[in-house]
Amino acid sequence: MFKILSIDGGGIRGVIPAVLLEHMEQQAGKPISEMFDLIVGTSTGGILAAGLAVPGKNGKPKYQATDLLALYADHGSKIFGRSFWDGITSLGGIVDEQYDAAPLEKLLQEYMGKSTLKDCLTPIVLTSYDIELRQPYFFKTSKAKVSDRNHYLWHASRATSAAPTFFEPFLTPSRAQKSSRRVLVDGGVFMNNPSMCAFSEAAKAGAAMEDIIMVSLGTGANDRKIKYEDAVDWGILKWAKPIIDVMMDGQADAAHYHLSQMFPAKDAKAAQRYFRFDTRLDLALDDMDAANAGNILALKAEAQQILTTDKAEFKRMIGLIK
């Protein structure tokens, strides 16, 4: 069997898949990197994917899911922290990015060090988008091993999480002898749920459809309605933030729909090979930068609700990937 883990983007809402991953490791009794043949992530999901594949001592992963969950709880407020002066000079994020990327970059360097895509314990794919060349750019372990497209993991993680309006684009350094210029933003602008990308990568690696097991983790669905009466007179300024949420949610739902049609899903029970764990947010805020302690606790509670509601399905999935 070819086992795939796909993790959505969503900023601080990465707490939700981190809790699910922690539970997965506890139930299976082994690290995520030993349970899957491929890990694919976008934005916060890309940070989790890279973090789970960072090599430690004796060929073991440097971090467990518990460590990455602590990253959000301990450092989320630093990543999404803004001084009063930054708020003034950016006009609340209207004329400049909302947050300084320095704290995020420092944290990624501390966690991932000099590890590169080539070094990953499990092959990974992180999504991003080149705003100069106007095309997707994928950070792939498979490419890094056979070409000059190797990158430091912290660079790849910074690029995939460069969410427009939140952080400035990342001018990604190349490790190739002939350096190339890549100006990258968050892969969520075109693929917030990267499960279809994961499926394509598995197929390219030679995995047969009937041998693929797909586990897709969401970060909580945005449930804010946009009423016609409100949106009918919106211009560029008022659409700027909602349109990002609409694109991300729409793509995530579309990817889930297509995979549900392609694979035996929940109704197949014992034959199920596609698992999607996500929730509508009832307790937590859906803002990607709501990194206060109260909301992080609420996000953890949302994840626990998934584990309760989908207990049988989660147990079935663990049995397959163990």
Side-chain angles (χ1 to χ4, degrees), residues 36-53:
F36 292 93
D37 301 296
L38 175 67
I39 306 175
V40 181
T42 289
S43 193
T44 194
I47 293 174
L48 286 171
L52 292 166

Side-chain angles (χ1 to χ4, degrees), residues 5-6 28 37 70 73 75 85 99 131 150 160 172 183 199 232-233 235 242 244-245 256 272 277 288 321:
L5 173 63
S6 172
D37 301 296
H75 303 286
W85 180 247
Y99 302 107
I131 59 174
N150 195 23
T160 192
T172 310
V183 183
F199 175 78
V232 67
D233 292 322
I244 295 175
D245 293 333
H256 173 52
Q272 183 179 2
F277 299 104
M288 294 194 294
I321 65 173

Side-chain angles (χ1 to χ4, degrees), residues 75-93:
H75 303 286
S77 60
K78 298 174 187 174
I79 295 171
F80 295 107
R82 182 174 61 186
S83 70
F84 176 78
W85 180 247
D86 287 337
I88 293 294
T89 56
S90 70
L91 296 183

